[in-house]
Structure formats: C-alpha cells, structure tokens
Amino acid sequence: MSSLIKLIAGELNRLVKYKILPVSLVTAIIWIVIFLFLSENEAREITPLLIFVDVAAMSILLLGASHHLEKQEGTIRTMMVMPISMGQILTAKTIASMILAIESAVVTSVALFFIHGITFNYIVLLLFVAIAGAAHAAIGFVLSLRSRDFTSMLGLLMGYMFLFTIPSILFSFGIIDAKYEWLLMVSPSHSASHLITSAVTGNFEIGMVIAGCLYLTFLSAVLFKFEVYPRFKDNAVRG
Amino acid sequence: MGVAFSVRDLHFRYPSSREDTIKGISFDVLEGEIFGLLGPSGAGKSTTQKILTKLLEDYKGDIEYFGKNLKSMDSSFYEEIGVGFEVPVHFSKLTALENMRFFSRFYRKTANIQELMERVGLWEYRDVKVAEFSKGMKVRLNFVRALLNNPRVLFLDEVTNGLDPKNARIIKDMIAEYRAKGGTVFLTTHLMNDVEQLCDRVAFCVSGKLIEISTPRDLKLKYGKREVKVEYRENGTIASAVFPLDGIGFNEEFHSLLKTGKVETIHSGETSLEEIFIIVTGVEMK
C-alpha cells in the first residue's frame, strides 16, 4: 500500500475517531428530515443550496478544526519527520475533505430519490463537488495557516463568507440581479454554487460551467502551490 | 569511527528575527556516540536539531550526513533517523497502540512495538486513548515513537523532562543500549544529569554559539576542582578537611589524618557539569 493511501486511510479513520464524519452525517440527516416536509419542487430548489453549504462552508470549517487540533497535538510536526512528502500529506488531507463533501452529496441525492423520486446526473454532480471541494479545501488551508487558533480562523471564515458566500446566497434568492452573475463568478463560492446548481437542475450554461470548472481548478492549483505548500511546513515546525 | 553529521559554519535566522539564532557553529557528531548539546532555553539547541532533521532548511553553511550533503537528501532520509520531540506528538483521540501502528506503517523496517512499549511500561495502557495519558506517559510514548523505525541516528530533545527518576532511568538505559548496538544519538537538553550519565561528548551552546566541545571527563579535568575532601570524627563531632589532589601522596597532613583520625568519608572534589558550564560560558542554566 502506498504512503498516500495509508495517509488517506489514517485521515478517514481520524474523521471517525474525532467524530467529524458522524457530525457530518447527522447534518445530512437533518437535510433528509427537511426534505420530508417539502414538496418535490421545493426540494429540487433547495438541494443545490444544501450541497453548496456542505462543500463551501462545512468543509472549510471541518478542515480548519482538524488542522488546528492536529497542530495543537503536534502530529503534523511528527509527520514531517517521516519518509513521506509534504505533497502527500496535503493531498491526503484534501481528499479527506473532498470525501466529506461527496459523502454529503451522496446522502442528499439518495434521500431525494427515495423521498421525492428526484434524479439528476450524479457523475456530473460528483465531478463538480470534487472540483469545488478541492478549491474550498485550499481556501480552508489558507484560512487555517493564516490564523493563530481555531477561534481566529472562525473570524477569517466569517470575513470570507461575508465577501464571497453571502453575495452568492443573495443571488440564489434572487436578491442580486442575474445580469451580475458573470461578475459573481469571481467568488469561489458562487462558482461552486453555479456548478452544483447546474448539476442538480440539469440547466447547463456551457460558458459559465467551463469558466467555473477552470477557475476553481486554477484557484486550487495557485493556492496550493503559492500559499499552502510554502506555509504548511513552517506553520507545523514553529507550532 | 565515521562521522554521522559534519556541521560547518552553520548560520540560521528565522524570517521574523533581526539577528541569527545560530551564529556560525561547527561540530561533528561521530557515528556510535551520544553527542549532547547543552544550553539554557533560547540558546539555539532546538533550532540546531530542527536543522539537522531537515525541518528548517534555509540555513547557511555546510551539513553532511554520512558524507552526503543534507540538502540533497529526500524524504528517504527519514527512514534512517528517529526524532523524539520535547512536546507530545500524538493523536489524542487514538489509543497509544493505534498511534504507534499508524506511524510505523510508513517505514520499511520497523521495531517491535510491543517490546518497546513493554520496556517503557506502557504496554498495559496500549488501548487507552493518549488524551487520558499523564505527561510522563506521553513523554515515554514519544520515546517509543522515535525508535519505531530502528533509526541509525536518534534525535532526542529534553528526553527525560517530566519523568520520575525510575522512568528516567529506564529511558537512559535504553539510550545507552541503543548506543551500545552502534546507534548514534544527538541529545539536546538543559538537564545536567542526562548529560553526565549519557553523553560521550558535550557541546556548550549559548546565544547561538558553541563555546566548548569536549568529553564530560575532559571538561571536569580541565575546569574542575582537583581536591579531596575528608570527613572525620573529632571530639564527638564531624569535622572536615580539604586537600589538593596534586601531590596528595606526599601530603603529610592528609596521611596523618588517615592514620590518626576516625575517617567517615573521603570524596574527590568533583565539579559538576553545571558549575563547569557557568565557569565556561558565564551563563546560568535555566
């Protein structure tokens, strides 16, 4: 078994032991309960928002919590003196975070099918959740690495959400006019929201979907290469 | 005996600092020896260890590990070294055994976890979550963690700090056994007992500089008091006299005391390493 697979297995094991995965599942169950009280149309409308919240906000929050806990426990430091690369450590953590987002999307999709018989293109949804999940994992790392502790990370997350996530939510409620959507795509939150909404509703605006995918992929690459990678080791070593 | 680490004119400055933390130090760590880096807090001991373990890389100077440039070595370097950190480094919600199994999975060759945990008295607590461990138990688990890959070189930072005398003795015995089997140890500490009992050679580190490198014995010979103290009983009370060690064989007063007095104890007046450290560096250990 390669080191990367062992690292991912370790991350998943800790998601269970540290109760992060169970908490995520409980959140998904709350969504299921909500679906029971909604009509098919209402459920179809609210689904992209629920998946988006899991991908964009919950994944950042859980990654931040896990990062600051591991930093406090010194485990990142001890992993730095093991025969594994920093790239492998970061990849494993990113994949674990993406798995959380995918788990939520899968539970939501299964619930929608059994409760309302709603189906959509699951492959496309998983692809978009993975792309959005990677970008938000990178954002989660940036916020974690730029904060002293989890509390200060929450402050940064609030600032990020105020700037990028709230406008996207306002857009989804029709408060921001549709003509501004291209401008909103600069927000990673909105790009993610647009991709997830497209996959769930089946309405693909090709230009925006391609732009969203490319933008989030490019953003992930830039953040990991120039922000996360250089700071991660220094952050772990200095504690 | 080969050279495990050769360090030449090492300088290091943290990005946020205005001056170098390490100011041009040079030393060798020989294969099979226990090399102690001794100094007060903030002297640069831990920074030096972080550089040698490749945790800090933006240094100036040359470091060779068994003849290879340290900077050129990839992550396989960590197959050969074991690092015992001063602070606990375990997943608190995992048990001690789960932690050790997780870390050992990444090494090609591994030590017997049960044997190591039994030796430090933790095997019976193997299924207890590390969060429930005392400080001393975490320190012992740190030590086991450092030995998981049967390392060629062992880095230990304040290895007995927080341990009771009995457990400190066990750890020291294990370090001595590791050295006896050919292992090399780089020990950073401010605890004189550890140095006196373990180290083959010791370097005094103050403000990022090495002031003296020698064996504990040579340091004592060079800087220690050379005297003999005799305690004897006289008129029902304990009295004492101190004689210079040089020429003791011809010291009439000393010989007369041995013949006539009721001698209770005789001690050579050894100066402790702590006193020597203060003499050499002018700095008190904190």
Coordinates of all heavy atoms in Angstrom, one line a residue, chain B residues 43 72 102 107 110 162 189 204 216 240 283:
Chain B
A43 N 18.9 29.1 23.6 CA 20.3 29.1 23.2 C 20.5 28.7 21.7 O 21.5 29.0 21.1 CB 21.2 28.1 24.1
S72 N 20.7 17.7 -0.2 CA 20.4 16.9 -1.3 C 19.6 15.7 -1.0 O 19.1 15.0 -1.9 CB 21.7 16.5 -2.0 OG 22.3 15.5 -1.2
F102 N 0.0 3.4 13.5 CA -0.2 4.4 12.3 C 1.2 4.9 11.9 O 1.5 4.8 10.7 CB -1.1 5.6 12.8 CG -1.1 6.7 11.7 CD1 -1.8 6.5 10.6 CD2 -0.4 7.8 11.9 CE1 -1.8 7.5 9.6 CE2 -0.4 8.8 10.9 CZ -1.1 8.7 9.8
Y107 N 7.2 3.2 7.6 CA 8.7 2.8 7.5 C 8.9 1.4 6.9 O 8.0 0.5 7.1 CB 9.3 2.8 8.9 CG 9.3 4.2 9.5 CD1 8.3 4.5 10.5 CD2 10.2 5.2 9.1 CE1 8.3 5.8 11.1 CE2 10.2 6.4 9.7 CZ 9.2 6.7 10.7 OH 9.2 8.0 11.3
T110 N 10.7 -1.8 10.7 CA 10.2 -1.3 12.0 C 10.6 -2.1 13.2 O 10.9 -3.3 13.1 CB 8.6 -1.3 11.9 OG1 8.2 -2.6 11.5 CG2 8.1 -0.3 10.9
G162 N 10.1 15.8 32.7 CA 8.8 15.4 33.1 C 8.7 14.0 33.6 O 7.6 13.5 33.9
T189 N 19.5 19.2 25.6 CA 18.9 19.2 26.9 C 19.4 20.3 27.7 O 20.4 21.0 27.4 CB 19.2 17.8 27.6 OG1 18.5 17.8 28.9 CG2 20.7 17.7 27.9
F204 N 28.7 23.0 24.6 CA 28.0 24.1 25.4 C 27.5 25.1 24.4 O 28.3 25.7 23.7 CB 29.0 24.7 26.4 CG 29.3 23.9 27.6 CD1 30.4 24.2 28.4 CD2 28.6 22.7 27.9 CE1 30.7 23.5 29.5 CE2 28.9 22.0 29.0 CZ 30.0 22.3 29.8
P216 N 32.7 14.9 28.9 CA 32.4 15.3 30.3 C 33.7 15.2 31.2 O 34.0 16.0 32.0 CB 31.3 14.4 30.7 CG 30.5 14.1 29.5 CD 31.6 14.0 28.4
S240 N 35.7 18.4 58.9 CA 36.2 18.1 57.5 C 37.4 18.8 57.2 O 37.7 19.9 57.8 CB 35.1 18.4 56.5 OG 34.8 19.8 56.5
V283 N 27.2 31.9 31.9 CA 25.7 31.9 31.8 C 25.1 30.8 32.7 O 25.6 29.7 32.7 CB 25.2 31.7 30.4 CG1 23.7 31.7 30.3 CG2 25.7 32.8 29.5

